Amino acid sequence: MKAFEDIFALACHRHGGEAAVRARLPEVASGATLRKRTDAWYLSTMMRRIFRAGLSHDMVDKKWPAFEDAFFGFEPEKLVLMSDHMLDERLQDTRLIRHAGKMQAIRFNAQMVREISREHGGFGRFLSEWPDQDIVGLWLVLGRKGKQLGGNSAPAFLRMAGRDTWYPTDDVRAGLIANGVIDRALSSQRDRRAAQAAINTWQAESGLPQAHVSRILSMTVG
């Protein structure tokens, strides 16, 4: 496994220098910012990511104000009380993306956000206090407790929310393979744990957020 300084140097070589690489690094929110955001904001962001999967992001984003209006601003306390009849009405609303499985996930994930918030004093506090060295564990919790949050949806949601996370893209997977960390897809928990350990090592070497480490790794192959 290469030292991170060598990975960074390769990314800079392939993408036009250090300034160009740093300009492409994702934003990472502080713990204070994560804790300040409301549960409704997190649920809205989570569901927007879920609806984006397999669809044009621009199209989903243009329709999102209508979703905010139709689903009570994504307030979990209101959504857990939504009746089947009310949900059926929204499945007929032409302003919305009428995907039954994803719409049904709204009430389910509202309950998840509500329960986690009550247990931890806020969903944002739960995210901010999760150990940085076990981000794959956070993906697993969200995937198991939520609906439509399997695969890459949990890390994609966290990236949208600004919670520091590495992201298992094809280029990141290729970079991990090139460094001898894994030898296959990142679909198994064993391989994801091995990748997490490597990301942790590179983070410790560089002092960078995991989101930056994985983006820079991806730029060594992409």
Side-chain angles (χ1 to χ4, degrees):
M1 191 170 84
K2 292 179 181 177
F4 189 78
E5 63 179 355
D6 296 328
I7 291 172
F8 185 69
L10 179 56
C12 291
H13 175 73
R14 290 178 61 90
H15 291 273
E18 181 175 344
V21 168
R22 292 193 182 278
R24 295 176 61 181
L25 300 180
E27 293 186 12
V28 176
S30 67
T33 297
L34 293 173
R35 291 189 292 273
K36 181 174 64 177
R37 291 171 174 156
T38 66
D39 292 347
W41 186 91
Y42 283 111
L43 182 59
S44 176
T45 303
M46 181 186 297
M47 293 311 309
R48 185 155 57 96
R49 160 55 204 171
I50 287 170
F51 273 90
R52 276 180 171 187
L55 297 174
S56 162
H57 292 188
D58 286 343
M59 184 267 285
V60 174
D61 291 349
K62 286 177 182 177
K63 286 183 175 286
W64 211 248
F67 273 89
E68 291 276 356
D69 179 61
F71 289 96
F72 311 113
F74 286 94
E75 290 287 349
E77 297 290 343
K78 295 179 180 179
L79 287 172
V80 295
L81 300 176
M82 177 179 275
S83 67
D84 290 342
H85 175 70
M86 294 173 73
L87 185 61
D88 288 341
E89 286 182 334
R90 282 147 180 81
L91 282 167
Q92 307 306 316
D93 190 336
T94 57
R95 300 176 304 157
L96 309 177
I97 300 165
R98 293 173 290 171
H99 186 294
K102 292 180 179 181
M103 275 206 187
Q104 289 163 2
I106 293 174
R107 289 188 306 182
F108 191 96
N109 289 339
Q111 183 64 35
M112 174 190 69
V113 169
R114 180 172 178 255
E115 290 177 355
I116 289 176
S117 179
R118 288 185 171 187
E119 182 178 353
H120 295 273
F123 193 79
R125 182 172 294 279
F126 163 73
L127 295 182
S128 71
E129 293 180 351
W130 188 273
D132 289 340
Q133 305 305 303
D134 184 32
I135 291 299
V136 295
L138 180 55
W139 302 351
L140 189 62
V141 168
L142 292 173
R144 286 179 174 173
K145 289 182 176 289
K147 184 170 284 189
Q148 301 271 349
L149 284 170
N152 285 358
S153 288
F157 155 63
L158 293 174
R159 182 65 63 85
M160 285 178 66
R163 175 44 165 110
D164 187 22
T165 181
W166 62 280
Y167 193 58
T169 64
D170 288 342
D171 285 343
V172 168
R173 177 182 60 83
L176 290 166
I177 291 173
N179 278 275
V181 176
I182 59 172
D183 58 7
R184 65 190 75 185
L186 276 165
S187 54
S188 73
Q189 283 302 309
R190 183 190 67 177
D191 285 343
R192 288 191 169 196
R193 292 289 180 187
Q196 179 73 72
I199 296 289
N200 291 347
T201 297
W202 288 324
Q203 183 181 27
E205 290 178 9
S206 66
L208 295 173
Q210 294 192 21
H212 293 185
V213 170
S214 70
R215 177 65 62 83
I216 291 166
L217 177 65
S218 75
M219 286 191 277
T220 64
V221 295

